[in-house]
Amino acid sequence: MNVTVAEMKANLSEILRKAAAGEDIVVTRHGKPYVKLSAEKSARTLPRIGAFKGQFKIADDFDVLGPEWDEYVK
């Protein structure tokens, strides 16, 4: 969506709502691109907690050291 600086001043709240919803806004000045607004990337990401649940398998003995480590863990 392209808006002029004057339109931006007149409709700031509405334009910011659209940008926050994911729409890219280009503010033009004298017919040329001046500023680009877009939503913060972190606002569009998936939640981190539990995001990979069930996608990884860890062996039951993952923390058991083999005999080659005996001299280091005395």
Side-chain angles (χ1 to χ4, degrees):
M1 168 182 204
N2 290 346
V3 296
T4 64
V5 172
E7 291 171 332
M8 183 73 173
K9 286 180 182 179
N11 302 309
L12 181 62
S13 296
E14 179 185 342
I15 293 170
L16 290 178
R17 258 193 304 276
K18 288 180 180 182
E23 188 172 341
D24 288 334
I25 310 293
V26 177
V27 181
T28 60
R29 184 175 181 193
H30 304 298
K32 296 180 182 179
Y34 186 58
V35 175
K36 182 178 179 182
L37 299 174
S38 61
E40 178 68 29
K41 291 188 189 290
S42 63
R44 295 187 208 172
T45 59
L46 297 174
R48 290 182 180 194
I49 298 174
F52 293 107
K53 185 175 182 177
Q55 296 184 21
F56 295 97
K57 183 177 184 323
I58 298 176
D60 293 333
D61 62 347
F62 78 97
D63 59 345
V64 177
L65 298 175
E68 64 273 7
W69 291 91
D70 287 346
E71 67 180 276
Y72 299 106
V73 293
K74 288 182 184 180

Coordinates of all heavy atoms in Angstrom, one line a residue:
M1 N 0.8 -1.2 0.0 CA 0.0 0.0 0.0 C 0.9 1.2 0.0 O 1.8 1.3 0.8 CB -0.9 0.0 1.2 CG -1.6 1.2 1.5 SD -2.6 1.1 3.1 CE -3.8 2.3 2.7
N2 N 0.6 2.2 -0.9 CA 1.3 3.4 -0.9 C 0.5 4.5 -0.4 O -0.7 4.6 -0.7 CB 1.7 3.8 -2.3 CG 2.8 2.9 -2.9 OD1 3.4 2.1 -2.1 ND2 3.0 2.9 -4.2
V3 N 1.1 5.4 0.5 CA 0.4 6.5 1.0 C 1.3 7.7 1.0 O 2.5 7.6 1.0 CB -0.1 6.3 2.5 CG1 -1.2 5.3 2.6 CG2 1.0 6.1 3.4
T4 N 0.8 8.9 0.9 CA 1.6 10.1 0.9 C 1.8 10.5 2.3 O 1.1 10.0 3.2 CB 0.9 11.3 0.1 OG1 -0.3 11.6 0.8 CG2 0.6 10.9 -1.3
V5 N 2.7 11.4 2.5 CA 3.0 12.0 3.9 C 1.7 12.6 4.4 O 1.4 12.4 5.6 CB 4.2 12.9 3.9 CG1 4.4 13.6 5.2 CG2 5.5 12.2 3.4
A6 N 1.0 13.3 3.6 CA -0.2 14.0 4.1 C -1.3 13.0 4.5 O -1.9 13.1 5.5 CB -0.8 14.9 3.0
E7 N -1.4 11.9 3.7 CA -2.3 10.8 4.1 C -1.9 10.1 5.4 O -2.7 9.7 6.2 CB -2.4 9.8 3.0 CG -3.1 10.3 1.7 CD -3.0 9.3 0.6 OE1 -2.0 8.5 0.5 OE2 -3.9 9.3 -0.3
M8 N -0.6 10.0 5.5 CA -0.1 9.4 6.7 C -0.4 10.2 8.0 O -0.8 9.7 9.0 CB 1.5 9.2 6.6 CG 2.1 8.5 7.7 SD 1.8 6.8 7.7 CE 2.8 6.2 9.0
K9 N -0.3 11.5 7.9 CA -0.6 12.4 9.0 C -2.1 12.3 9.3 O -2.5 12.3 10.5 CB -0.2 13.8 8.6 CG 1.2 14.1 8.6 CD 1.5 15.6 8.3 CE 2.9 15.9 8.2 NZ 3.2 17.4 7.9
A10 N -2.9 12.3 8.3 CA -4.4 12.3 8.5 C -4.9 10.9 9.0 O -5.9 10.9 9.7 CB -5.1 12.6 7.2
N11 N -4.3 9.8 8.7 CA -4.8 8.5 9.0 C -3.7 7.6 9.7 O -3.7 6.4 9.5 CB -5.2 7.8 7.7 CG -6.3 8.5 7.0 OD1 -7.3 8.9 7.6 ND2 -6.0 8.8 5.7
L12 N -3.0 8.2 10.6 CA -1.9 7.5 11.2 C -2.3 6.2 11.9 O -1.7 5.1 11.7 CB -1.1 8.4 12.2 CG 0.1 7.8 12.9 CD1 1.1 7.4 11.9 CD2 0.6 8.7 14.0
S13 N -3.3 6.3 12.8 CA -3.7 5.1 13.5 C -4.2 3.9 12.6 O -3.8 2.8 12.8 CB -4.9 5.4 14.5 OG -4.5 6.3 15.4
E14 N -4.9 4.3 11.6 CA -5.4 3.2 10.7 C -4.2 2.6 9.9 O -4.2 1.4 9.7 CB -6.4 3.8 9.7 CG -6.9 2.9 8.7 CD -7.8 3.5 7.6 OE1 -8.3 4.6 7.9 OE2 -8.0 2.9 6.6
I15 N -3.3 3.4 9.4 CA -2.2 2.9 8.7 C -1.3 2.1 9.5 O -0.8 1.0 9.1 CB -1.4 4.1 8.0 CG1 -2.3 4.7 6.9 CG2 -0.1 3.7 7.4 CD1 -1.8 6.1 6.4
L16 N -1.1 2.5 10.8 CA -0.2 1.7 11.7 C -0.9 0.3 12.0 O -0.2 -0.7 12.1 CB 0.0 2.4 13.0 CG 1.0 3.6 12.9 CD1 1.1 4.4 14.2 CD2 2.3 3.2 12.4
R17 N -2.2 0.3 12.1 CA -3.0 -0.9 12.3 C -2.7 -1.9 11.2 O -2.5 -3.1 11.3 CB -4.4 -0.7 12.5 CG -4.9 -0.7 13.9 CD -6.4 -0.8 14.0 NE -7.1 0.3 13.4 CZ -7.3 1.5 13.9 NH1 -6.8 1.8 15.1 NH2 -7.9 2.5 13.2
K18 N -2.8 -1.4 9.9 CA -2.6 -2.2 8.8 C -1.1 -2.7 8.7 O -0.9 -3.9 8.4 CB -2.9 -1.4 7.5 CG -4.4 -1.1 7.3 CD -4.6 -0.4 6.0 CE -6.1 -0.1 5.8 NZ -6.4 0.6 4.6
A19 N -0.2 -1.9 9.1 CA 1.2 -2.3 9.1 C 1.4 -3.4 10.1 O 2.1 -4.4 9.9 CB 2.1 -1.1 9.4
A20 N 0.8 -3.2 11.3 CA 0.9 -4.2 12.4 C 0.3 -5.6 12.0 O 0.7 -6.6 12.4 CB 0.3 -3.7 13.7
A21 N -0.7 -5.5 11.1 CA -1.4 -6.7 10.7 C -0.6 -7.4 9.6 O -1.0 -8.5 9.2 CB -2.8 -6.4 10.1
G22 N 0.5 -6.9 9.2 CA 1.4 -7.5 8.2 C 1.4 -6.9 6.8 O 2.2 -7.3 6.0
E23 N 0.7 -5.8 6.6 CA 0.7 -5.2 5.3 C 1.9 -4.2 5.2 O 2.2 -3.5 6.2 CB -0.6 -4.4 5.1 CG -0.8 -3.8 3.7 CD -2.1 -3.2 3.5 OE1 -3.1 -3.5 4.2 OE2 -2.2 -2.4 2.5
D24 N 2.6 -4.3 4.1 CA 3.8 -3.3 4.0 C 3.2 -2.0 3.5 O 2.4 -1.9 2.5 CB 4.8 -3.9 2.9 CG 5.5 -5.1 3.5 OD1 5.7 -5.2 4.7 OD2 6.0 -5.9 2.7
I25 N 3.6 -0.9 4.1 CA 3.2 0.4 3.8 C 4.4 1.2 3.3 O 5.4 1.2 4.0 CB 2.6 1.1 5.0 CG1 1.6 0.3 5.8 CG2 2.1 2.5 4.7 CD1 0.3 0.0 5.0
V26 N 4.3 1.8 2.2 CA 5.3 2.7 1.6 C 4.8 4.1 1.7 O 3.8 4.4 1.0 CB 5.7 2.3 0.2 CG1 6.7 3.3 -0.4 CG2 6.2 0.9 0.1
V27 N 5.5 5.0 2.4 CA 5.1 6.4 2.5 C 5.9 7.1 1.4 O 7.1 7.0 1.3 CB 5.4 7.0 3.9 CG1 5.0 8.4 3.9 CG2 4.7 6.2 5.0
T28 N 5.2 7.9 0.6 CA 5.8 8.6 -0.5 C 5.9 10.0 -0.2 O 5.1 10.6 0.5 CB 5.1 8.3 -1.9 OG1 3.8 8.8 -1.8 CG2 5.1 6.9 -2.2
R29 N 6.9 10.6 -0.8 CA 7.1 12.1 -0.7 C 7.5 12.6 -2.0 O 8.5 12.1 -2.6 CB 8.2 12.4 0.3 CG 8.4 13.8 0.6 CD 9.4 14.0 1.7 NE 9.6 15.4 2.0 CZ 10.6 15.9 2.7 NH1 11.5 15.1 3.3 NH2 10.7 17.2 2.9
H30 N 6.7 13.5 -2.5 CA 6.9 14.1 -3.9 C 6.9 12.9 -4.9 O 7.6 12.9 -5.9 CB 8.2 14.9 -4.0 CG 8.3 16.0 -3.0 ND1 7.4 17.0 -3.0 CD2 9.1 16.2 -2.0 CE1 7.7 17.9 -2.1 NE2 8.8 17.4 -1.4
G31 N 6.0 11.9 -4.7 CA 5.9 10.8 -5.6 C 6.9 9.8 -5.6 O 6.9 8.8 -6.4
K32 N 7.9 9.9 -4.7 CA 9.0 8.9 -4.6 C 8.9 8.2 -3.2 O 8.6 8.8 -2.2 CB 10.3 9.6 -4.8 CG 10.5 10.2 -6.1 CD 11.8 10.8 -6.3 CE 12.0 11.5 -7.7 NZ 13.2 12.1 -7.8
P33 N 9.3 6.9 -3.1 CA 9.3 6.2 -1.8 C 10.2 7.0 -0.8 O 11.3 7.4 -1.1 CB 9.9 4.9 -2.2 CG 9.7 4.7 -3.6 CD 9.7 6.1 -4.2
Y34 N 9.6 7.1 0.4 CA 10.3 7.9 1.4 C 10.6 7.0 2.6 O 11.7 7.0 3.1 CB 9.4 9.1 1.8 CG 10.0 10.0 2.8 CD1 11.2 10.7 2.5 CD2 9.3 10.3 4.0 CE1 11.7 11.6 3.4 CE2 9.9 11.2 4.9 CZ 11.0 11.9 4.6 OH 11.6 12.8 5.5
V35 N 9.6 6.3 3.1 CA 9.8 5.4 4.2 C 8.9 4.1 4.0 O 7.8 4.2 3.4 CB 9.2 6.1 5.5 CG1 9.2 5.1 6.7 CG2 10.0 7.3 5.8
K36 N 9.4 3.0 4.5 CA 8.6 1.7 4.4 C 8.3 1.3 5.8 O 9.2 1.2 6.7 CB 9.4 0.7 3.7 CG 8.7 -0.6 3.5 CD 9.5 -1.6 2.7 CE 8.7 -2.9 2.6 NZ 9.5 -3.9 1.9
L37 N 7.1 1.0 6.1 CA 6.6 0.5 7.4 C 6.2 -1.0 7.2 O 5.5 -1.3 6.3 CB 5.4 1.3 7.9 CG 5.6 2.7 8.1 CD1 4.2 3.4 8.5 CD2 6.6 3.0 9.2
S38 N 6.6 -1.8 8.2 CA 6.1 -3.2 8.2 C 6.1 -3.6 9.7 O 6.7 -3.0 10.5 CB 7.0 -4.1 7.4 OG 8.3 -4.0 7.9
A39 N 5.4 -4.7 9.9 CA 5.3 -5.3 11.2 C 6.6 -5.8 11.8 O 7.5 -6.2 11.0 CB 4.3 -6.4 11.3
E40 N 6.8 -5.7 13.0 CA 8.0 -6.2 13.7 C 8.1 -7.7 13.4 O 7.1 -8.4 13.6 CB 8.0 -6.0 15.2 CG 9.1 -6.5 16.0 CD 10.4 -5.8 15.7 OE1 10.4 -4.6 15.3 OE2 11.5 -6.4 15.8
K41 N 9.2 -8.2 13.0 CA 9.3 -9.6 12.6 C 9.0 -10.6 13.8 O 8.4 -11.6 13.6 CB 10.7 -9.9 12.1 CG 11.0 -9.3 10.8 CD 12.3 -9.8 10.2 CE 12.6 -9.0 9.0 NZ 11.8 -9.2 7.8
S42 N 9.4 -10.2 15.0 CA 9.1 -11.1 16.1 C 7.6 -11.2 16.4 O 7.2 -12.2 17.0 CB 9.8 -10.5 17.4 OG 9.3 -9.3 17.7
A43 N 6.8 -10.3 16.0 CA 5.4 -10.4 16.1 C 4.8 -11.4 15.2 O 3.7 -11.9 15.5 CB 4.7 -9.0 15.9
R44 N 5.5 -11.8 14.2 CA 4.9 -12.8 13.2 C 5.5 -14.2 13.5 O 5.1 -15.1 12.8 CB 5.3 -12.4 11.8 CG 4.7 -11.1 11.4 CD 5.1 -10.9 9.9 NE 5.1 -9.5 9.6 CZ 5.5 -9.0 8.4 NH1 5.9 -9.8 7.5 NH2 5.5 -7.8 8.2
T45 N 6.4 -14.4 14.4 CA 7.0 -15.8 14.6 C 6.1 -16.6 15.5 O 5.2 -16.2 16.2 CB 8.3 -15.6 15.3 OG1 8.2 -15.0 16.5 CG2 9.3 -14.9 14.4
L46 N 6.3 -17.9 15.4 CA 5.6 -18.9 16.2 C 6.1 -18.9 17.7 O 7.3 -18.5 17.9 CB 5.8 -20.3 15.7 CG 5.2 -20.5 14.3 CD1 5.6 -21.9 13.8 CD2 3.7 -20.4 14.3
P47 N 5.3 -19.2 18.6 CA 5.8 -19.3 20.0 C 6.9 -20.3 20.1 O 7.0 -21.3 19.4 CB 4.6 -19.8 20.8 CG 3.5 -20.0 19.8 CD 3.9 -19.7 18.5
R48 N 7.9 -20.0 21.0 CA 9.1 -20.9 21.1 C 8.8 -22.1 22.0 O 9.3 -23.2 21.7 CB 10.3 -20.1 21.7 CG 10.8 -19.1 20.7 CD 12.0 -18.4 21.4 NE 12.5 -17.4 20.4 CZ 13.7 -16.9 20.6 NH1 14.4 -17.1 21.6 NH2 14.1 -16.0 19.7
I49 N 8.1 -21.9 23.1 CA 7.9 -23.0 24.0 C 7.0 -24.1 23.3 O 5.9 -23.9 22.9 CB 7.2 -22.5 25.3 CG1 8.1 -21.5 26.0 CG2 6.9 -23.7 26.2 CD1 7.5 -20.8 27.2
G50 N 7.6 -25.3 23.2 CA 6.9 -26.4 22.6 C 6.8 -26.4 21.1 O 6.1 -27.3 20.5
A51 N 7.5 -25.5 20.5 CA 7.4 -25.4 19.0 C 7.9 -26.7 18.3 O 7.5 -27.0 17.2 CB 8.1 -24.2 18.5
F52 N 8.9 -27.4 18.9 CA 9.5 -28.5 18.3 C 9.1 -29.8 19.0 O 9.8 -30.8 18.8 CB 11.0 -28.4 18.2 CG 11.5 -27.3 17.3 CD1 12.0 -26.1 17.9 CD2 11.4 -27.4 16.0 CE1 12.4 -25.1 17.0 CE2 11.8 -26.4 15.1 CZ 12.3 -25.2 15.7
K53 N 8.1 -29.8 19.8 CA 7.7 -31.0 20.6 C 7.4 -32.1 19.6 O 6.7 -32.0 18.6 CB 6.4 -30.7 21.4 CG 6.0 -31.8 22.3 CD 4.8 -31.4 23.2 CE 4.5 -32.6 24.1 NZ 3.4 -32.2 25.0
G54 N 8.0 -33.3 19.9 CA 7.8 -34.5 19.1 C 8.6 -34.6 17.9 O 8.5 -35.5 17.1
Q55 N 9.5 -33.6 17.6 CA 10.2 -33.6 16.3 C 11.7 -34.1 16.5 O 12.4 -34.3 15.5 CB 10.2 -32.2 15.7 CG 8.9 -31.7 15.3 CD 8.9 -30.4 14.6 OE1 9.9 -30.0 14.1 NE2 7.8 -29.7 14.6
F56 N 12.1 -34.3 17.8 CA 13.5 -34.7 18.0 C 13.4 -35.9 19.0 O 12.6 -36.0 19.9 CB 14.3 -33.6 18.7 CG 14.5 -32.4 17.8 CD1 13.7 -31.3 17.9 CD2 15.5 -32.4 16.9 CE1 13.9 -30.2 17.1 CE2 15.7 -31.3 16.1 CZ 14.9 -30.2 16.2
K57 N 14.3 -36.9 18.8 CA 14.4 -38.0 19.7 C 15.8 -38.0 20.2 O 16.8 -38.0 19.5 CB 14.2 -39.3 18.9 CG 14.2 -40.5 19.8 CD 13.8 -41.8 19.0 CE 13.7 -43.0 19.9 NZ 14.6 -43.2 20.9
I58 N 15.9 -38.1 21.6 CA 17.2 -38.2 22.2 C 17.3 -39.6 22.8 O 16.4 -40.0 23.5 CB 17.3 -37.1 23.4 CG1 17.2 -35.7 22.7 CG2 18.6 -37.3 24.1 CD1 17.1 -34.6 23.8
A59 N 18.4 -40.2 22.6 CA 18.7 -41.5 23.1 C 18.7 -41.5 24.6 O 19.1 -40.5 25.3 CB 20.0 -42.1 22.6
D60 N 18.2 -42.6 25.2 CA 18.2 -42.7 26.7 C 19.5 -42.6 27.3 O 19.7 -42.1 28.5 CB 17.5 -44.0 27.1 CG 16.0 -44.1 26.8 OD1 15.4 -43.0 26.7 OD2 15.5 -45.2 26.5
D61 N 20.6 -43.0 26.6 CA 21.9 -43.0 27.2 C 22.8 -41.8 26.6 O 24.0 -41.9 26.6 CB 22.6 -44.3 27.0 CG 22.8 -44.6 25.5 OD1 22.2 -43.9 24.6 OD2 23.6 -45.5 25.2
F62 N 22.1 -40.7 26.2 CA 22.9 -39.6 25.6 C 24.0 -39.1 26.5 O 24.9 -38.5 26.0 CB 21.9 -38.5 25.1 CG 21.5 -37.6 26.2 CD1 22.1 -36.4 26.4 CD2 20.4 -38.0 27.0 CE1 21.7 -35.6 27.4 CE2 20.0 -37.1 28.0 CZ 20.6 -35.9 28.2
D63 N 23.8 -39.1 27.8 CA 24.7 -38.6 28.7 C 25.7 -39.6 29.3 O 26.5 -39.2 30.2 CB 24.0 -37.8 29.8 CG 23.1 -38.7 30.6 OD1 22.8 -39.8 30.2 OD2 22.7 -38.3 31.7
V64 N 25.7 -40.8 28.8 CA 26.7 -41.8 29.3 C 27.9 -41.7 28.5 O 27.9 -41.8 27.2 CB 26.0 -43.2 29.2 CG1 27.0 -44.3 29.6 CG2 24.7 -43.3 30.0
L65 N 29.1 -41.6 29.2 CA 30.4 -41.5 28.5 C 30.9 -42.9 28.2 O 30.8 -43.8 29.0 CB 31.3 -40.7 29.3 CG 31.0 -39.2 29.6 CD1 32.0 -38.6 30.5 CD2 30.9 -38.4 28.3
G66 N 31.6 -43.0 27.1 CA 32.2 -44.3 26.8 C 33.5 -44.5 27.5 O 34.0 -43.6 28.2
P67 N 34.1 -45.7 27.4 CA 35.3 -46.0 28.1 C 36.5 -45.1 27.7 O 37.4 -44.9 28.5 CB 35.6 -47.5 27.8 CG 34.8 -47.8 26.6 CD 33.6 -46.8 26.6
E68 N 36.4 -44.5 26.5 CA 37.6 -43.7 26.1 C 37.7 -42.4 26.9 O 38.7 -41.7 26.9 CB 37.4 -43.3 24.6 CG 36.2 -42.5 24.2 CD 35.0 -43.4 23.9 OE1 34.9 -44.6 24.1 OE2 34.0 -42.8 23.5
W69 N 36.7 -42.1 27.7 CA 36.7 -40.9 28.6 C 37.1 -41.2 30.0 O 37.2 -40.2 30.8 CB 35.3 -40.2 28.6 CG 34.9 -39.6 27.3 CD1 34.2 -40.2 26.3 CD2 35.2 -38.3 26.9 NE1 34.1 -39.3 25.2 CE2 34.7 -38.1 25.6 CE3 35.9 -37.2 27.5 CZ2 34.8 -37.0 24.9 CZ3 36.0 -36.1 26.7 CH2 35.5 -35.9 25.5
D70 N 37.4 -42.4 30.3 CA 37.7 -42.8 31.7 C 38.9 -42.0 32.3 O 38.8 -41.6 33.4 CB 38.0 -44.3 31.8 CG 36.7 -45.2 31.7 OD1 35.6 -44.6 31.8 OD2 36.9 -46.4 31.4
E71 N 39.9 -41.8 31.5 CA 41.1 -41.1 32.1 C 40.8 -39.6 32.3 O 41.5 -39.0 33.1 CB 42.3 -41.3 31.2 CG 42.2 -40.6 29.8 CD 43.4 -40.8 29.0 OE1 44.4 -40.0 29.1 OE2 43.4 -41.7 28.1
Y72 N 39.8 -39.1 31.7 CA 39.5 -37.6 31.9 C 38.5 -37.4 33.0 O 38.4 -36.2 33.5 CB 38.9 -37.1 30.6 CG 39.8 -37.2 29.4 CD1 39.6 -38.1 28.4 CD2 40.9 -36.3 29.3 CE1 40.4 -38.2 27.3 CE2 41.8 -36.4 28.2 CZ 41.5 -37.4 27.3 OH 42.4 -37.5 26.2
V73 N 37.8 -38.3 33.5 CA 36.7 -38.1 34.5 C 37.1 -38.7 35.8 O 36.3 -39.0 36.7 CB 35.4 -38.6 34.0 CG1 34.8 -37.8 32.9 CG2 35.4 -40.1 33.7
K74 N 38.4 -39.0 36.1 CA 38.8 -39.6 37.3 C 38.7 -38.6 38.5 O 38.9 -37.5 38.5 CB 40.3 -40.1 37.2 CG 40.4 -41.3 36.4 CD 41.8 -41.8 36.3 CE 41.8 -43.0 35.4 NZ 43.2 -43.6 35.3

